[in-house]
Amino acid sequence: MSSSTFSLASKVKLYNGHMIPQIQLGLYMMSGKEVLASVPWALAAGYRGFDSAQMYHNEAEAGQAIRKWLESSETRRARTSRGRTSGIRRSSPVPGSTSYDAVRKSIKRSVKACGLGYIDLFLLHSPYGGPEARLTSWKAIEDAIDDGEVRSGGVSNYGIEELMASNPRIKPAVNQIEVHPFNTQTAIRETCAKHGILVEAYGPLARAMRMKDPTILELAKKYACTPAQLMVRWSLQHGHVPLPKSARKERLIDNVKVGGFEISDEDVQRMDGLDEHLVTDWDPTDAD
Ligand SMILES: NC(=O)c1ccc[n+]([C@@H]2O[C@H](COP(=O)([O-])OP(=O)(O)OC[C@H]3O[C@@H](n4cnc5c(N)ncnc54)[C@H](OP(=O)(O)O)[C@@H]3O)[C@@H](O)[C@H]2O)c1
């Protein structure tokens, strides 16, 4: 278990050497208007990573808010000597595995929509479509990396073994799956660890469905934190990249104040024991 102090400045290294922020704001179920408000609040609070998707219909607003922030005089001072931006990471998944051409087009659409020139991490959002679609879709990600549209590639809701067995030219850097104490996904996490693939944890707050769980409340009291902070910290101590979502200013700031306490190994295991395979969104294990 980690004894690290975590903050919005914490970063984690992907196998390909790229660093990504270890806590990122999820943008699912946010309207464009909410994104235009939330992303600037988050940037001001110190967030440097955002998770959007084509199917969230808010990539353009996310890009717009990030661009505006980058153009502000304060941020201009923070640019590196190479003129690169100061470390904001945007990740964006395409809707699913379809075909090589559809994925290439889809990536170009997202890059254009966000207006940021490239996307740091691009994920295939779903494993549906069958083995051939999955493997040719992955080739499209590899070529988009070669062409500079995308810095790193990854998948979401994948079991991973099939893709790794195909011996991909470029390995996925990330698998984004639902993980929280009520759905610990041990098997997929172990497979990812075996291949050096980072787990991004979606639904890290269990979609607020278990905020009143007695163990969560007991441990939140013990560590003098909120249930949301406890769950974010659990995710970080497992080495994940949690993507907690909130469209409310006070929550998106408060949820990630997780540097002031550390969950003991024993209590992490207690939280692991809460697993009930709670699926808050969809189940990746049922793809053909
Ligand atoms: N790849 C995929 O298939 C996939 C699927 C699902 C999600 N994701 C990504 O992962 C991110 C996070 O997942 P998620 O949005 O499903 O779930 P989540 O982050 O676990 O929970 C979000 C929910 O919790 C509420 N909430 C936040 N802070 C709270 C607090 N302190 N107290 C009470 N309620 C609180 C939010 O409402 P308010 O906004 O009103 O605060 C929202 O309803 C998404 O936004 C998305 O970026 C990816």
Side-chain angles (χ1 to χ4, degrees), residues 24-30 34 38 50-53 55-56 91 93 123-126 155-157 176-180 200-209 211 226-229 231-232 242-252 254-255 280-282:
Q24 306 190 15
L25 187 68
L27 303 182
Y28 186 31
M29 311 273 264
M30 278 200 212
E34 284 176 316
S38 302
F50 298 91
D51 183 73
S52 181
M55 62 189 281
Y56 302 170
S91 60
L123 311 177
L124 293 173
H125 207 154
S126 109
V155 292
S156 179
N157 299 299
Q176 187 184 115
I177 52 173
E178 175 169 354
V179 194
H180 45 74
E200 283 195 347
Y202 77 69
L205 309 176
R207 280 261 181 103
M209 289 176 186
M211 293 295 190
T226 66
Q229 289 165 344
M231 285 193 258
V232 170
L243 312 168
K245 177 259 175 183
S246 180
R248 302 192 200 189
K249 186 177 183 185
E250 66 288 358
R251 282 182 179 171
L252 69 82
D254 197 54
N255 287 348
T280 63
D281 200 48
W282 58 343

Side-chain angles (χ1 to χ4, degrees), residues 4 25 44 70 86-87 107 159-161 212 220 225 229-231 242 274:
S4 315
L25 187 68
L70 289 170
S86 59
I107 293 170
I160 287 289
E161 286 294 17
K212 295 205 162 85
C225 65
Q229 289 165 344
L230 186 77
M231 285 193 258
L274 296 173

Side-chain angles (χ1 to χ4, degrees), residues 21-170:
Q22 197 167 359
I23 304 172
Q24 306 190 15
L25 187 68
L27 303 182
Y28 186 31
M29 311 273 264
M30 278 200 212
S31 66
K33 202 172 154 202
E34 284 176 316
V35 164
L36 286 173
S38 302
V39 169
W41 292 331
L43 285 165
Y47 280 87
R48 293 294 179 268
F50 298 91
D51 183 73
S52 181
Q54 290 179 356
M55 62 189 281
Y56 302 170
H57 303 292
N58 59 23
E59 287 175 307
E61 288 83 358
Q64 187 184 329
I66 293 171
R67 276 198 317 274
K68 196 167 169 202
W69 189 82
L70 289 170
E71 281 157 17
S72 72
S73 54
E74 188 190 333
T75 312
R76 266 201 300 278
R77 282 200 298 277
R79 288 187 181 198
T80 68
S81 54
R82 284 164 63 223
R84 284 246 174 274
T85 54
S86 59
I88 296 185
R89 296 290 176 261
R90 42 273 184 185
S91 60
S92 198
V94 296
S97 317
T98 45
S99 68
Y100 179 91
D101 288 342
V103 174
R104 279 311 297 268
K105 272 193 201 133
S106 206
I107 293 170
K108 287 183 197 305
R109 236 187 350 263
S110 274
V111 172
K112 194 169 170 212
C114 76
L116 293 160
Y118 63 90
I119 288 178
D120 291 284
L121 175 64
F122 216 91
L123 311 177
L124 293 173
H125 207 154
S126 109
Y128 297 123
E132 202 190 321
R134 281 193 284 276
L135 297 180
T136 55
S137 295
W138 181 252
K139 288 194 194 323
I141 299 269
E142 293 177 329
D143 290 353
I145 294 171
D146 290 344
D147 288 351
E149 291 161 0
V150 169
R151 288 282 146 88
S152 302
V155 292
S156 179
N157 299 299
Y158 268 54
I160 287 289
E161 286 294 17
E162 174 190 83
L163 181 54
M164 295 312 295
S166 75
N167 199 17
R169 187 166 62 78
I170 301 177

